[in-house]
């Protein structure tokens, strides 16, 4: 259907399903350990056209989405802002952060995908493409890995042409300096090294570790302290080594969170995750907020979703090619992008996100719904 045509676009169906995908080996970061990841998928339909959205969340999110169907079905698929506002209104007494925001996100993402498909446009073009491609950085290096596993994974990404890779720290602080040095040895001098503590350190501990990470050539220190500790983030940013950027924001669920982080001067790079922050609608607002503060903007995980979004976000600097999500998205979705020489490009030959759920392949992992 041409972009100039507008069909009768009443949403006729919302289906939600959830899938548990085991990790290849147990994984952990500085504050958490896991052995599986749950993907919650929303499928919409209007005028015979499908729309697909997803989030990474607890299965309870799927149950909540089912309870929100009446705020979506029957609405005009083009009225995304109105549907988004209705969803946020419905969750008012349940709390905006957490699974409420992730449930809203999965629906909102499906709405944008549906609108793009109805208009016959790739999502990046519908949003207004600012960049032809966006840098991907390989992300994994879990604290549960041995030094050998760490070096093998990071060096593999370096060999594939990634310009930056990220590893986890914080589970065993006394080992972190040696692990970061081992990572640098594996990737060579040219590849940028990012370090992510997931808020595991105290302020003084983070300052001390920042010095050793900088000595190993790290240029990115993510959540050195809790992302709720804005004063602590600002302290590390102001007193840490020159050239070591502070990044945070992945746990942002609403625009106010991002505004507070930016007003506190807490980060050099603002991160956001459309699968958490109530979808594409709020993600693009966060990007504009970052631009208004002259701060770089980075997408947290979910690379298949964030590739077109960061290509449409003027301050977008990179997308996290997170090992778990990259594997899961290749497993669940036809059309999931793969980096070429460390860059991700939206497929402009496919409308919407360019993704199709592989129903047959996904069925063996399904724990909720009947997709």
């Amino acid at each position: 259907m041409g972009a100039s045509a507008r069909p009768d676009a009443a949403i006729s169906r919302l289906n939600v399903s959830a899938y548990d995908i085991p990790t290849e080996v147990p994984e952990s970061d500085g504050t958490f350990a896991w052995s599986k990841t749950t993907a919650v998928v929303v499928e919409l339909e209007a005028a015979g056209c499908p729309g697909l959205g997803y989030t990474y969340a607890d299965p309870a999110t799927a149950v909540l989405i089912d309870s929100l169907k009446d705020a979506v079905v029957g609405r005009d698929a083009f009225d995304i802002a109105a549907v988004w506002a209705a969803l946020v209104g419905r969750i008012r007494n349940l709390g905006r952060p957490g699974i409420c925001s992730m449930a809203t996100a999965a629906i909102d993402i499906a709405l944008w995908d549906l609108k793009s498909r109805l208009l016959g446009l790739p999502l990046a073009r519908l949003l207004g493409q600012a960049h032809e491609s966006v840098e991907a950085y390989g992300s994994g290096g879990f604290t549960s890995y041995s030094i050998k596993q760490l070096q093998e994974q990071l060096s593999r990404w370096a060999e594939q042409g990634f310009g930056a890779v990220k590893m986890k720290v914080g589970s065993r602080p006394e080992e972190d300096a040696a692990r970061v040095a081992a990572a640098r040895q594996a990737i060579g001098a040219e590849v940028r090294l990012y370090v992510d503590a997931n808020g595991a350190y105290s302020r003084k501990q983070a300052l001390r570790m920042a010095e050793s990470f900088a000595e190993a050539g790290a240029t990115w220190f993510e959540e050195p302290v809790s992302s709720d500790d804005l004063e602590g983030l600002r302290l590390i940013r102001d007193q840490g080594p020159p050239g070591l950027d502070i990044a945070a924001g992945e746990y942002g669920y609403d625009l106010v969170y991002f505004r507070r982080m930016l007003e506190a001067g807490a980060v050099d790079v603002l991160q956001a995750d459309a699968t958490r922050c109530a979808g594409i609608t709020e993600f693009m607002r966060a990007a504009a907020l970052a631009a208004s503060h002259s701060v770089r903007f980075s997408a947290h995980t979910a690379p298949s979703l964030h590739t077109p979004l960061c290509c449409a976000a003027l301050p977008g600097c990179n997308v996290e090619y997170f090992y778990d999500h990259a594997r899961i998205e290749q497993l669940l979705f036809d059309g999931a992008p793969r980096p070429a020489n460390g860059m991700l490009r939206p497929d402009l030959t496919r409308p919407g996100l360019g993704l199709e759920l592989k129903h047959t392949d996904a069925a063996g992992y399904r724990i909720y719904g009947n997709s």
Side-chain angles (χ1 to χ4, degrees):
M1 182 171 294
S4 62
R6 170 165 174 164
D8 176 14
I11 298 168
S12 58
R13 180 177 70 93
L14 186 159
N15 187 76
V16 59
S17 49
Y19 307 87
D20 267 357
I21 296 90
T23 57
E24 293 177 327
V25 296
E27 296 172 353
S28 63
D29 59 32
T31 54
F32 193 65
W34 62 98
S35 59
K36 65 178 181 179
T37 299
T38 303
V40 177
V41 178
V42 167
E43 295 171 278
L44 300 177
E45 185 174 331
C49 189
L52 175 73
Y54 66 100
T55 185
Y56 293 101
D58 189 89
T61 309
V63 178
L64 177 59
I65 290 171
D66 258 335
S67 76
L68 297 172
K69 279 184 179 180
D70 62 346
V72 180
V73 175
R75 295 271 193 157
D76 190 318
F78 287 88
D79 296 340
I80 295 176
V83 179
W84 187 90
L87 290 168
V88 172
R90 283 286 300 273
I91 63 174
R92 188 197 73 172
N93 291 342
L94 302 179
R96 180 70 159 76
I99 66 169
C100 290
S101 226
M102 291 186 281
T104 303
I107 297 171
D108 182 79
I109 293 161
L111 285 166
W112 280 99
D113 184 56
L114 175 58
K115 180 177 180 178
S116 301
R117 292 179 191 238
L118 286 165
L119 294 173
L121 288 171
L123 179 60
R125 286 280 169 82
L126 178 66
L127 293 171
Q129 192 165 351
H131 315 287
E132 290 186 0
S133 61
V134 62
E135 184 182 24
Y137 66 87
S139 173
F142 304 110
T143 59
S144 52
Y145 282 179
S146 67
I147 292 288
K148 180 181 179 182
Q149 289 173 309
L150 171 70
Q151 290 185 312
E152 287 177 349
Q153 185 185 67
L154 300 189
S155 63
R156 186 163 58 247
W157 280 323
E159 291 163 3
Q160 292 170 359
F162 284 81
V165 297
K166 188 172 81 178
M167 62 178 289
K168 301 290 191 179
V169 295
S171 290
R172 299 176 300 279
E174 69 279 4
E175 299 178 14
D176 284 340
R179 290 177 63 84
V180 170
R184 169 54 69 197
Q185 182 183 38
I187 64 175
E190 300 302 317
V191 177
R192 300 189 306 281
L193 179 60
Y194 297 171
V195 177
D196 184 0
N198 290 95
Y201 297 137
S202 67
R203 293 181 185 182
K204 290 184 177 180
Q205 192 178 30
L207 276 173
R208 185 171 65 251
M209 299 308 299
E211 294 291 343
S212 67
F213 298 158
E215 288 175 6
T219 58
W220 170 300
F221 195 0
E222 185 172 329
E223 284 195 307
V225 296
S226 168
S227 57
D228 292 325
D229 182 9
L230 298 181
E231 290 181 354
L233 289 172
R234 178 63 184 266
L235 175 74
I236 312 305
R237 186 186 182 201
D238 286 347
Q239 297 191 19
L244 186 62
D245 289 335
I246 302 303
E250 68 183 70
Y251 295 109
Y253 291 101
D254 58 33
L255 205 60
V256 175
Y257 174 99
F258 299 117
R259 176 174 61 80
R260 289 172 176 161
M261 183 167 278
L262 290 167
E263 288 178 348
V267 293
D268 298 292
V269 183
L270 181 69
Q271 296 173 291
D273 186 335
T275 74
R276 289 178 177 171
C277 70
I280 294 169
T281 296
E282 198 87 318
F283 182 91
M284 297 307 292
R285 292 171 181 161
L289 197 61
S292 74
H293 284 76
S294 301
V295 166
R296 285 178 293 152
F297 188 67
S298 175
H300 170 258
T301 70
S304 298
L305 167 64
H306 287 131
T307 294
L309 302 193
C310 271
C311 283
L314 275 171
C317 64
N318 57 30
V319 171
E320 181 175 9
Y321 198 71
F322 184 54
Y323 182 70
D324 284 349
H325 291 187
R327 184 175 67 90
I328 289 168
E329 289 167 14
Q330 295 292 336
L331 177 70
L332 292 182
F333 303 129
D334 179 59
R338 296 178 184 271
N341 295 317
M343 303 297 290
L344 285 164
R345 291 177 178 268
D347 186 347
L348 300 181
T349 69
R350 302 170 72 123
L353 283 168
L355 303 177
E356 305 288 344
L357 181 64
K358 300 177 184 178
H359 290 91
T360 301
D361 292 349
Y365 301 97
R366 190 171 60 238
I367 59 169
Y368 183 89
N370 55 7
S371 176

XYZ file of all heavy atoms in Angstrom, residues 203-253:
393
model
N 30.868 4.493 45.783
C 31.460 5.651 45.100
C 32.988 5.603 45.102
O 33.643 5.748 44.062
C 30.975 6.945 45.753
C 29.494 7.215 45.579
C 29.135 8.542 46.238
N 27.692 8.809 46.211
C 27.136 9.917 46.677
N 27.906 10.870 47.203
N 25.827 10.092 46.623
N 33.590 5.437 46.275
C 35.056 5.445 46.366
C 35.664 4.240 45.662
O 36.722 4.341 45.034
C 35.493 5.507 47.831
C 35.191 6.846 48.484
C 35.724 6.917 49.910
C 35.466 8.287 50.527
N 35.980 8.403 51.911
N 34.973 3.119 45.761
C 35.436 1.921 45.064
C 35.428 2.154 43.545
O 36.374 1.795 42.841
C 34.509 0.756 45.432
C 34.988 -0.615 45.026
C 34.011 -1.677 45.499
O 32.809 -1.443 45.605
N 34.519 -2.855 45.802
N 34.364 2.788 43.058
C 34.249 3.062 41.624
C 35.344 4.012 41.157
O 35.910 3.829 40.062
C 32.872 3.635 41.314
N 35.657 5.013 41.955
C 36.735 5.933 41.590
C 38.070 5.212 41.486
O 38.858 5.449 40.563
C 36.831 7.062 42.615
C 35.895 8.254 42.425
C 35.997 9.196 43.614
C 36.223 8.996 41.125
N 38.305 4.332 42.432
C 39.554 3.571 42.411
C 39.615 2.661 41.183
O 40.649 2.578 40.504
C 39.689 2.757 43.700
C 41.039 2.027 43.815
C 41.220 1.405 45.188
N 40.256 0.338 45.447
C 39.239 0.432 46.305
N 39.046 1.551 46.982
N 38.414 -0.583 46.488
N 38.501 1.981 40.893
C 38.479 1.070 39.753
C 38.584 1.836 38.440
O 39.187 1.350 37.475
C 37.200 0.235 39.773
C 37.028 -0.654 40.998
S 38.445 -1.721 41.375
C 38.520 -2.717 39.899
N 38.007 3.028 38.407
C 38.071 3.827 37.185
C 39.518 4.082 36.767
O 39.845 4.069 35.566
C 37.328 5.145 37.389
N 40.389 4.323 37.726
C 41.794 4.565 37.421
C 42.433 3.345 36.764
O 43.145 3.462 35.763
C 42.550 4.935 38.697
C 42.139 6.264 39.314
C 42.551 7.469 38.484
O 43.430 7.313 37.596
O 41.992 8.555 38.706
N 42.155 2.157 37.323
C 42.777 0.950 36.761
C 42.192 0.616 35.393
O 42.903 0.163 34.491
C 42.611 -0.236 37.718
O 41.263 -0.631 37.828
N 40.880 0.865 35.207
C 40.272 0.599 33.909
C 40.833 1.542 32.844
O 41.099 1.135 31.709
C 38.751 0.740 33.984
C 38.078 -0.232 34.931
C 36.823 0.046 35.457
C 38.689 -1.421 35.290
C 36.196 -0.837 36.319
C 38.068 -2.325 36.152
C 36.815 -2.020 36.676
N 41.020 2.804 33.225
C 41.576 3.773 32.280
C 43.001 3.392 31.887
O 43.413 3.575 30.734
C 41.541 5.174 32.880
N 43.761 2.863 32.825
C 45.126 2.422 32.529
C 45.134 1.301 31.491
O 46.094 1.167 30.723
C 45.813 1.955 33.812
C 46.181 3.100 34.763
C 46.740 2.591 36.080
O 46.945 1.355 36.207
O 46.974 3.420 36.984
N 44.059 0.492 31.479
C 43.946 -0.586 30.493
C 43.332 -0.087 29.183
O 43.083 -0.873 28.272
C 43.105 -1.730 31.058
N 43.077 1.214 29.118
C 42.561 1.788 27.882
C 41.054 1.774 27.756
O 40.524 1.994 26.657
N 40.311 1.530 28.840
C 38.854 1.594 28.776
C 38.420 3.038 28.543
O 39.017 3.973 29.090
C 38.236 1.059 30.066
N 37.366 3.206 27.752
C 36.883 4.557 27.429
C 35.431 4.773 27.843
O 34.893 5.856 27.608
C 36.997 4.821 25.919
O 36.242 3.833 25.198
C 38.453 4.763 25.471
N 34.812 3.772 28.461
C 33.381 3.812 28.802
C 33.205 3.058 30.106
O 33.602 1.903 30.215
C 32.614 3.161 27.662
C 31.160 2.846 27.798
C 30.566 2.019 28.715
C 30.099 3.284 26.932
N 29.220 1.910 28.458
C 28.908 2.686 27.374
C 30.057 4.113 25.818
C 27.675 2.889 26.731
C 28.835 4.309 25.186
C 27.667 3.716 25.648
N 32.608 3.707 31.094
C 32.362 3.085 32.397
C 30.860 3.218 32.655
O 30.367 4.295 32.950
C 33.174 3.788 33.480
C 33.301 3.041 34.782
C 32.717 1.790 34.981
C 34.023 3.598 35.842
C 32.842 1.118 36.188
C 34.158 2.930 37.046
C 33.559 1.695 37.226
N 30.167 2.116 32.532
C 28.705 2.119 32.633
C 28.250 1.762 34.049
O 28.745 0.799 34.631
C 28.135 1.121 31.633
C 26.619 1.104 31.534
C 26.150 0.237 30.393
O 26.873 0.127 29.374
O 25.055 -0.350 30.510
N 27.338 2.545 34.560
C 26.796 2.356 35.906
C 27.877 1.981 36.921
O 27.829 0.924 37.540
C 25.695 1.292 35.893
C 24.398 1.786 35.335
C 23.242 0.850 35.656
O 23.363 -0.358 35.366
O 22.234 1.327 36.198
N 28.875 2.825 37.110
C 29.895 2.540 38.123
C 29.289 2.437 39.509
O 29.765 1.671 40.353
C 30.837 3.741 38.016
C 30.026 4.819 37.368
C 29.084 4.114 36.446
N 28.240 3.219 39.758
C 27.419 3.105 40.966
C 25.973 2.969 40.508
O 25.676 3.069 39.322
C 27.591 4.340 41.897
C 29.014 4.421 42.421
C 27.211 5.625 41.169
N 25.082 2.776 41.434
C 23.667 2.640 41.075
C 23.204 3.818 40.234
O 23.550 4.974 40.500
C 22.818 2.544 42.343
O 21.435 2.689 42.022
N 22.401 3.546 39.238
C 21.871 4.632 38.402
C 20.905 5.522 39.167
O 20.556 6.613 38.695
C 21.175 4.053 37.165
O 20.150 3.154 37.531
N 20.476 5.097 40.348
C 19.652 5.945 41.201
C 20.497 6.951 41.988
O 19.960 7.920 42.538
C 18.837 5.103 42.183
C 17.776 4.270 41.478
O 17.220 4.757 40.474
O 17.507 3.143 41.926
N 21.798 6.711 42.048
C 22.708 7.601 42.770
C 23.251 8.653 41.801
O 24.389 8.564 41.317
C 23.837 6.779 43.396
C 24.812 7.623 44.211
O 24.527 8.823 44.431
O 25.859 7.086 44.611
N 22.443 9.648 41.516
C 22.844 10.654 40.534
C 24.045 11.458 41.013
O 24.919 11.823 40.220
C 21.662 11.577 40.224
C 20.430 10.892 39.608
C 19.344 11.911 39.322
C 20.809 10.125 38.342
N 24.111 11.738 42.316
C 25.270 12.456 42.855
C 26.539 11.619 42.700
O 27.613 12.152 42.406
C 25.039 12.809 44.320
C 23.977 13.876 44.550
C 23.810 14.207 46.020
O 24.433 13.522 46.859
O 23.058 15.150 46.331
N 26.402 10.303 42.910
C 27.554 9.426 42.759
C 28.033 9.354 41.319
O 29.241 9.394 41.045
N 27.088 9.260 40.373
C 27.470 9.259 38.965
C 28.189 10.556 38.594
O 29.199 10.536 37.889
C 26.229 9.076 38.081
C 25.571 7.694 38.078
C 24.249 7.738 37.319
C 26.495 6.640 37.474
N 27.663 11.669 39.085
C 28.292 12.967 38.803
C 29.690 13.031 39.409
O 30.629 13.573 38.801
C 27.419 14.100 39.355
C 27.984 15.506 39.164
C 28.107 15.867 37.675
N 28.727 17.158 37.482
C 28.061 18.307 37.334
N 26.734 18.315 37.386
N 28.696 19.426 37.135
N 29.847 12.474 40.606
C 31.154 12.447 41.250
C 32.166 11.686 40.399
O 33.290 12.164 40.171
C 31.044 11.803 42.629
C 32.354 11.597 43.394
C 32.865 12.927 43.924
C 32.160 10.603 44.547
N 31.787 10.505 39.927
C 32.700 9.695 39.111
C 32.990 10.419 37.795
O 34.129 10.428 37.308
C 32.109 8.301 38.819
C 31.567 7.626 40.078
C 33.172 7.416 38.147
C 32.538 7.498 41.204
N 31.960 11.046 37.235
C 32.158 11.775 35.982
C 33.132 12.937 36.155
O 33.997 13.175 35.311
C 30.803 12.286 35.476
C 30.866 12.933 34.109
C 29.546 13.556 33.705
N 29.626 14.118 32.370
C 28.812 15.053 31.895
N 27.826 15.529 32.665
N 28.945 15.523 30.665
N 33.003 13.660 37.258
C 33.830 14.847 37.482
C 35.248 14.500 37.932
O 36.209 15.176 37.547
C 33.189 15.754 38.540
C 31.972 16.494 38.007
O 31.770 16.498 36.787
O 31.221 17.058 38.824
N 35.391 13.461 38.758
C 36.689 13.176 39.369
C 37.397 11.961 38.780
O 38.542 11.689 39.132
C 36.515 12.987 40.881
C 36.003 14.239 41.585
C 36.088 14.127 43.094
O 36.819 13.310 43.641
N 35.325 14.975 43.786
N 36.724 11.249 37.882
C 37.355 10.094 37.259
C 38.370 10.510 36.212
O 38.521 11.697 35.897
N 39.096 9.558 35.642
C 40.148 9.874 34.676
C 39.575 10.534 33.418
O 38.473 10.189 32.976
C 40.743 8.497 34.331
C 40.249 7.575 35.383
C 38.970 8.118 35.891
N 40.300 11.462 32.825
C 39.873 12.046 31.550
C 39.766 10.957 30.479
O 40.550 10.008 30.472
C 40.992 13.042 31.208
C 41.676 13.312 32.505
C 41.567 12.056 33.313
N 38.786 11.081 29.614
C 38.640 10.114 28.533
C 37.833 8.885 28.888
O 37.623 8.023 28.033
N 37.358 8.783 30.139
C 36.534 7.645 30.550
C 35.098 8.143 30.698
O 34.745 8.769 31.698
C 37.047 7.056 31.869
C 36.357 5.776 32.347
C 36.552 4.639 31.344
C 36.880 5.354 33.722
N 34.280 7.895 29.688
C 32.909 8.380 29.689
C 32.036 7.592 30.653
O 32.165 6.361 30.760
C 32.306 8.280 28.290
C 32.907 9.285 27.333
O 33.408 10.323 27.805
O 32.873 9.035 26.110
N 31.131 8.290 31.325
C 30.176 7.654 32.229
C 28.847 7.505 31.488
O 28.320 8.463 30.919
C 29.990 8.492 33.511
C 31.338 8.681 34.213
C 28.977 7.834 34.436
C 32.056 7.395 34.576
N 28.314 6.285 31.499
C 27.066 5.977 30.806
C 26.078 5.366 31.788
O 26.452 4.605 32.672
C 27.325 5.006 29.651
N 24.798 5.715 31.628
C 23.728 5.136 32.444
C 22.398 5.520 31.823
O 22.325 6.386 30.953
C 23.808 5.619 33.898
N 21.337 4.867 32.283
C 19.994 5.183 31.831
C 19.162 3.992 31.420
O 17.966 4.137 31.154
N 19.756 2.805 31.378
C 19.011 1.647 30.884
C 17.803 1.304 31.747
O 16.870 0.655 31.268
C 19.926 0.430 30.789
C 20.412 -0.105 32.131
C 21.382 -1.267 31.985
O 22.516 -1.040 31.537
O 20.997 -2.397 32.320
N 17.805 1.735 33.005
C 16.666 1.456 33.883
C 15.663 2.608 33.914
O 14.834 2.681 34.823
C 17.155 1.117 35.287
C 17.958 -0.167 35.324
C 19.333 -0.136 35.544
C 17.351 -1.392 35.086
C 20.085 -1.301 35.542
C 18.092 -2.564 35.078
C 19.456 -2.508 35.306
O 20.194 -3.663 35.291
N 15.725 3.474 32.925
C 14.751 4.555 32.834
C 13.433 4.053 32.275
O 13.404 3.415 31.214
N 12.350 4.355 32.963
C 11.028 3.917 32.524
C 10.150 5.071 32.054
O 9.090 4.844 31.479
C 10.311 3.167 33.652
C 10.935 1.830 33.979
C 11.764 1.667 35.084
C 10.715 0.731 33.161
C 12.348 0.451 35.377
C 11.291 -0.500 33.447
C 12.105 -0.630 34.557
O 12.679 -1.842 34.831
